[in-house]
Structures are given as structure tokens and as C-alpha cells.
Amino acid sequence: MTAPRSAASGLAQCGISVVVPVFNESEVLAEFHRRLSDVLAALALPSEVVFVNDGSADQSLAIIRALRQQDPRITIVDLSRNFGKEVAMTAGLHHARGAAVVVIDADLQDPPELIPQFVRLWQERGYDVVYGQRTSRAGESVLKRTTAYLFYRLIQHTNRVRMPADVGDFRLMSRRAVDALNQLTETQRFMKGLFAWIGFPQIAFPYERDRRYAGNTKFNYWRLWTFALEGITSYTTFPLKAATYLGLLIAGVAFFHAGWIVLKTLLFGEPVPGYPSMMVVILMLGGVQLMGLGVLGEYVGRMFNETKGRPLYFLNEYTPAELPEASGEEVV
Ligand code: UDP
Ligand code: MG
């Protein structure tokens, strides 16, 4: 086991860190930063904004650097290539130094204006995790909404740890929740599952998910499908069990059917060779076996990736924010 690659110590060095994964968001970054700054300025806590550039191919990094020139509260974490949103968020959490950490998308679908309310629930009511729960998803197609709905309902019934439905990555976490998360070193990171797995007092905060401010979603249907598979296979071993039970069921039915065939042949003889029924059984069993193998393969593949024990990401650049002098005491 490797130690968590956390740059932050257990002792928080500022009030709030806002972690923002960024992949080709040049059209939204300036507006995002403007709205977020207004919100942070109104907070009574010192803050930093951790922009994680996830291998953007556009001007995103240049824009973040320009923002950093004007605003020293910005931390830049530039990954060596595109690692995907889950790893980008993880890198942000490793480098966040706040007593509480907010994770938010750059595209303004999650309104930064809700952050003060998250902070209040954390400070005044002592919740370790305050997560945004979407009551509506404006600007997303019926297909995306339906598949998302089905995915959340399916995954909820397959694991003892309940993963709340319609909850994205937009959330606030206390320092101890972030430290807990940073100890989970698996390379296959399905963050929604990990967020739920760590436990601690958690509360949902219902909100309306806005449209993207500009640009397009980075998740097409194929990517969402692999994401869903990733989610299911890294969150639960239910498909393995399902394969076992399906096998048992089919074997049970086959056993009784065999008894029936023997009895029938003894009583009435066997005048016609049953080609059609035989083909149906062969094809169906072949299909079921291949499916079972595929499920097994998904898990073996994941074990293969896990055993390589590679680091989650590499950094191209790390520019920490200039925080007010640490007094040595925890800022909360
Ligand atoms: N993102 C990322 N790496 C990726 C894909 C997306 O860091 O490989 C970021 C993206 O810049 C945005 C957030 O993840 O801040 C959510 O992405 P997007 O809006 O495309 O997803 P959606 O809201 O459609 O689910
Ligand atoms: Mg989005």
C-alpha cells in the first residue's frame, strides 16, 4: 500500500478550498471565476480556488494562469494529460488545504451561490458532507435524464452502502472527510461511490441544476455507458452474484426438464429428434455463459489495473495559492 498522495496536511491552512476540475472550459472560466469570487468575497473565511487542469487542449490553462496573476488565492494543479474527471477531482482533493473543501464543475451548472449555505450547514450544524441533490436537470436530453434515473435506481439496490440518488459531485466536505477520502488509494475511482462509502454525518441540499453556461458536455453516451459500468463494477460485486444465481436457475430448470425428457422417452418413445428445441437451448446457454465470462472479465480487468499500483496522475505544474500567514492554529 502506498501512502495517500496528499499534499495537504491534516492541519487545515485556510478556511475553504474550492476544487474545480477543468477540461476544455475556456469559454466559461472567466465568468465562472467572476461568480465564484463574488461568493467567496462575501464569506467570512479565507479561501483558495484549486483549478485542476485535466489536460485541456484549448486555452483553459492560459486563462487560469492569467486569473492567477490577478488573484493569488488561486492554486493551479496542471495534470500531465487528460485523466478524466474522477482523477482530476482526486488531484484537487489531494492539494486542497482548506478546513472544508467544495467540489464544483466549471461550467456553472452547479450554482456557486449555494456555497455559503453549504458552509452554514457544515459550520453550524456540524455536517461533514453537504451534497447537492438535483431536483431538475435543465438543458439535458430526455434520454440522458432517463438513463441517469435508471442508473441511480439500479445501483442503489446492489450495495449495502446506500448511494443517494441524483447526487453529483457538487458538495462540501469537512477536512476529516477529505482526509478519509484521500486514504482510498484505488486507481479505479468512482467518486460518487467513494463519497458515500466514507460515511460521516451527511446531508442532502436540493437544488436546481442549471444549463451549461457555454460549451458542450464532455460526456457522450458511450462515455456515460463506460462510466456506468465503471460505477457498478467498482462499487458492487452484485453482477458476479447475479451470474451465479442465473446459472443456478438455469441448471435447476435444466435438471427438471431432463427428468421430464427421460420420463417422456420411457413412456412414449422418441419419434422426432428435437432439433429446434436443442438449438434454442444451445444458443441460449452459450449466450448466458459468454455473458458470465464477460462479467468476470470486467472484474479481472479491474484487478489487473489495480495490481499495477501506478500513481493516479502526474503533475505538470503545481502553483499553490498565496494564503494568509498560517497562525499555527486551525482556521475554522
Ligand atoms: N471534466 C474534467 N475532465 C474530463 C471531463 C470533464 O475535468 O475528462 C470536467 C469539466 O471541465 C467540468 C466537469 O468535469 O468542469 C463536468 O463536465 P461536464 O459538464 O462535461 O459533464 P456533465 O455536466 O455534462 O455531466
Ligand atoms: Mg456540466
Side-chain angles (χ1 to χ4, degrees):
M1 287 284 268
T2 51
R5 286 160 283 248
S6 174
S9 69
L11 185 71
Q13 293 165 20
C14 77
I16 305 280
S17 299
V18 180
V19 167
V20 194
V22 175
F23 177 53
N24 295 347
E25 301 285 9
S26 54
E27 290 164 84
V28 301
L29 279 171
E31 174 67 8
F32 171 79
H33 184 253
R34 193 188 60 72
R35 267 176 66 182
L36 182 66
S37 299
D38 287 351
V39 171
L40 294 180
L43 280 182
L45 292 163
S47 55
E48 69 166 341
V49 183
V50 183
F51 280 111
V52 184
N53 178 40
D54 186 16
S56 299
D58 65 356
Q59 290 302 305
S60 298
L61 182 60
I63 295 173
I64 295 171
R65 287 207 180 111
L67 291 171
R68 174 69 172 72
Q69 298 277 312
Q70 306 155 12
D71 182 358
R73 287 173 318 171
I74 291 178
T75 292
I76 305 177
V77 176
D78 182 30
L79 304 185
S80 59
R81 64 169 170 85
N82 176 250
F83 284 90
K85 185 183 177 190
E86 311 295 297
V87 171
M89 281 191 289
T90 307
L93 292 175
H94 285 163
H95 291 87
R97 290 172 291 170
V101 181
V102 173
V103 179
I104 187 169
D105 286 358
D107 59 5
L108 291 170
Q109 280 195 285
D110 308 323
E113 289 74 22
L114 297 183
I115 293 176
Q117 308 188 50
F118 285 15
V119 170
R120 213 165 302 134
L121 282 167
W122 160 63
Q123 276 190 318
E124 290 169 16
R125 310 250 320 260
Y127 285 103
D128 283 276
V129 182
V130 185
Y131 53 81
Q133 189 160 37
R134 303 155 183 165
T135 51
S136 76
R137 300 167 73 114
E140 298 191 71
S141 69
V142 177
L143 184 60
K144 176 153 183 188
R145 273 179 291 172
T146 319
T147 47
Y149 178 88
L150 289 176
F151 171 71
Y152 285 117
R153 298 309 176 285
L154 172 75
I155 205 161
Q156 276 204 323
H157 290 100
T158 56
N159 195 308
R160 219 159 47 86
V161 182
R162 270 295 166 108
M163 200 178 79
D166 304 321
V167 171
D169 301 313
F170 182 32
R171 61 186 57 231
L172 175 145
M173 285 173 286
S174 68
R175 176 44 50 194
R176 69 171 181 169
V178 174
D179 285 343
L181 213 54
N182 286 347
Q183 284 179 48
L184 310 184
T185 54
E186 58 244 70
T187 53
Q188 311 267 319
R189 300 186 82 79
F190 176 60
M191 294 303 279
K192 292 185 213 300
L194 302 186
F195 285 145
W197 190 84
I198 57 166
F200 296 121
Q202 308 206 352
I203 189 172
F205 188 97
Y207 75 109
E208 304 222 334
R209 192 149 206 250
D210 291 336
R211 270 164 215 285
R212 223 175 201 286
Y213 176 72
N216 288 319
T217 174
K218 310 297 179 292
F219 292 87
N220 58 26
Y221 283 109
W222 179 249
R223 208 163 164 187
L224 281 174
W225 164 249
T226 44
F227 182 64
L229 268 191
E230 175 81 45
I232 291 168
T233 49
S234 57
Y235 190 59
T236 163
T237 50
F238 176 78
L240 291 174
K241 283 199 197 109
T244 310
Y245 287 116
L246 188 63
L248 272 180
L249 183 77
I250 291 176
V253 172
F255 181 78
F256 285 108
H257 190 62
W260 164 241
I261 289 174
V262 170
L263 194 70
K264 203 175 66 169
T265 315
L266 287 179
L267 291 181
F268 309 111
E270 180 58 71
V272 190
Y275 178 75
S277 55
M278 206 168 70
M279 279 314 283
V280 168
V281 171
I282 290 177
L283 289 179
M284 195 186 100
L285 281 186
V288 168
Q289 282 173 359
L290 280 182
M291 215 178 73
L293 269 181
V295 170
L296 213 65
E298 283 287 329
Y299 284 91
V300 174
R302 259 151 246 277
M303 281 163 62
F304 170 65
N305 282 338
E306 219 54 73
T307 52
K308 287 193 268 192
R310 290 187 180 168
L312 276 177
Y313 54 83
F314 287 109
L315 292 188
N316 203 23
E317 174 191 333
Y318 170 55
T319 311
E322 283 163 28
L323 299 176
E325 271 305 299
S327 61
E329 281 169 44
E330 198 163 340
V331 204
V332 179

